[in-house]
Amino acid sequence: MQQNAAGPALIVERHPFLESFLRHELQRAGHDVVVSRSASAATLTSVCPATIVIGLSGSGRRPLEAIRRARRERADAHILAIVDRDDPAWKALALAMGANVVLGPADGRATLMKAIQIGSAPRQENLLLRRTS
Amino acid sequence: MREDLLRVVIIESQVLFAKALAGIFAEDGDFAVIADFRTPDEAGLAAAKPQIVVIDLDGQPTDVAATLGACATGAPQARVCVLSMHLSSEMMQRCLNNGAEAYIVKDISPGDLVRAIKTVAGGQSYVDPRVAGGLLRRRSLNAGKPDIMELSAREAEVLKLIAEGLANKQISARLHLSEKTVKNHVSRIFSKLNISARTQAAVHAIRAGIV
């Protein structure tokens, strides 16, 4: 099977209609997409995602634990968290847990695409460096 | 725009969710998403004249009664479909009491979501079957007794104040309502609970744990 240039992406999102939208956008950006309801160690190991998109909804620390687990298992992955509240403290926590980018309720498709592209760019650059060295 | 398309307005506090919903409706081909708002915009709704309002209650800054009330004021002709993350028969009942025609839990698949909205557009109601089951079980346990969950959020608020011993005039001052409006609420509470005295109302409120 031909692999897409942007590498595998994992979506961890429990709302099917948002998951469907994210999958479409990631595929448009050149990712092979895998969807999971949880960021389990087994999933992270088998998929080896270069990009991880995690939807955070609900209260408590449990949603944030998914980011921490993903960062622990995939140190070099680009982790994009989508949060459902305009709360700077919540966003700061998501970043502290290991997210590279946090999108809030006001962020739309353009910001999402930019965040996905930021994640893809360094890896493409690294790939070029490896090929020329 | 084709005249046979269902005119839909999406009210969603999360922009990405709104885009996802709009994408699902566009893909189906039977809908035209006229506008999307982050909160119920009465003027915007009035201008859009939707047949269907799809509103995600999660993240809305006001309570269920105020949020759905704004939808009804802005688009009185529209059928309102509520999206919620809560798998709760109490929440569903509150939404239906405040004018919603559908209660859809957000773990629904895109295909089922479209079917649910079409059901509502066709003149029927839709509630998540898992939540409807909970409601039926509770009604069965109540064995036909009046259910406090049939009260709207505002009526429940008035009932709580009745149980605290406030007179209509004091309730009207507390809730910033006219005394006549409070009297109307009290009549509806009495009718829904099948009672005739304020002390009986207080008993219902205490049993339901709202005071």
Side-chain angles (χ1 to χ4, degrees):
Chain A
M1 192 179 80
Q2 190 184 348
Q3 291 239 320
N4 284 331
L10 175 68
I11 298 173
V12 182
E13 169 57 56
R14 63 193 182 119
H15 298 117
F17 53 87
L18 183 59
E19 170 240 293
S20 162
F21 171 77
L22 293 171
R23 184 174 51 212
H24 181 70
E25 296 301 325
L26 283 161
Q27 283 171 340
R28 274 164 44 115
H31 288 278
D32 291 314
V33 180
V34 176
V35 176
S36 173
R37 280 296 177 98
S38 71
S40 68
T43 305
L44 290 161
T45 306
S46 66
V47 177
C48 284
T51 296
I52 304 171
V53 181
I54 302 180
L56 301 182
S57 55
S59 55
R61 289 177 66 86
R62 202 169 161 214
L64 294 168
E65 289 299 331
I67 300 177
R68 201 216 301 264
R69 196 162 46 245
R71 175 57 68 214
R72 197 174 55 222
E73 298 293 330
R74 297 288 303 157
D76 59 345
H78 180 62
I79 300 179
L80 202 165
I82 300 174
V83 300
D84 61 355
R85 59 185 92 165
D86 263 326
D87 178 356
W90 189 248
K91 289 183 182 179
L93 265 175
L95 290 170
M97 290 285 186
N100 297 96
V101 181
V102 181
L103 298 185
D107 292 316
R109 188 177 165 274
T111 314
L112 171 71
M113 292 313 292
K114 202 170 159 189
I116 291 171
Q117 280 156 13
I118 289 168
S120 307
R123 267 179 299 285
Q124 285 167 356
E125 190 182 307
N126 289 342
L127 189 65
L128 284 173
L129 286 171
R130 278 202 297 276
R131 276 180 183 165
T132 52
S133 60
Chain B
M1 192 184 82
R2 272 168 43 206
E3 294 224 337
D4 60 329
L5 295 179
L6 282 166
R7 296 168 59 86
V8 177
V9 164
I10 296 168
I11 302 173
E12 169 59 72
S13 63
Q14 289 188 263
V15 176
L16 284 177
F17 268 73
K19 297 295 167 212
L21 288 168
I24 289 165
F25 294 135
E27 201 169 303
D28 179 77
D30 286 339
F31 299 91
V33 177
I34 306 299
D36 63 78
F37 305 111
R38 293 188 69 193
T39 57
D41 174 337
E42 289 179 16
L45 281 165
K49 294 186 176 59
Q51 292 163 286
I52 298 283
V53 172
V54 177
I55 177 166
D56 184 352
L57 278 187
D58 304 324
Q60 291 300 324
T62 52
D63 65 17
V64 173
T67 304
L68 296 182
C71 292
T73 305
Q77 75 292 340
R79 295 173 73 77
V80 177
C81 301
V82 165
L83 291 174
S84 167
M85 67 188 287
H86 300 289
L87 200 56
S88 151
S89 53
E90 285 84 2
M91 179 61 92
M92 179 193 77
Q93 185 73 65
R94 198 165 295 152
C95 291
L96 299 183
N97 288 347
N98 283 284
E101 297 289 349
Y103 186 84
I104 302 166
V105 180
K106 284 197 291 186
D107 60 0
I108 195 168
S109 71
D112 286 342
L113 174 67
V114 165
R115 275 188 287 279
I117 304 292
K118 285 183 178 175
T119 298
V120 173
Q124 297 176 55
S125 296
Y126 174 90
V127 292
D128 186 293
R130 295 164 296 175
V131 186
L135 182 67
L136 289 173
R137 273 193 296 280
R138 208 178 61 231
R139 287 224 163 146
S140 168
L141 286 172
N142 282 349
K145 289 178 199 159
D147 188 344
I148 210 151
M149 289 315 299
E150 288 178 9
L151 302 182
S152 69
R154 180 61 95 187
E155 287 161 359
E157 215 170 357
V158 171
L159 176 62
K160 181 174 182 289
L161 296 177
I162 291 174
E164 287 175 9
L166 271 64
N168 286 357
K169 196 170 181 179
Q170 293 167 300
I171 295 172
S172 71
R174 182 80 69 92
L175 299 180
H176 306 293
L177 298 171
S178 73
E179 206 172 336
K180 187 170 182 294
T181 305
V182 172
K183 272 183 188 166
N184 288 338
H185 283 310
V186 172
S187 306
R188 276 199 296 272
I189 292 166
F190 280 21
S191 164
K192 285 182 180 177
L193 298 180
N194 195 24
I195 56 175
S196 54
R198 294 172 88 88
T199 46
Q200 289 173 295
V203 170
H204 274 278
I206 291 161
R207 277 190 190 149
I210 67 171
V211 284

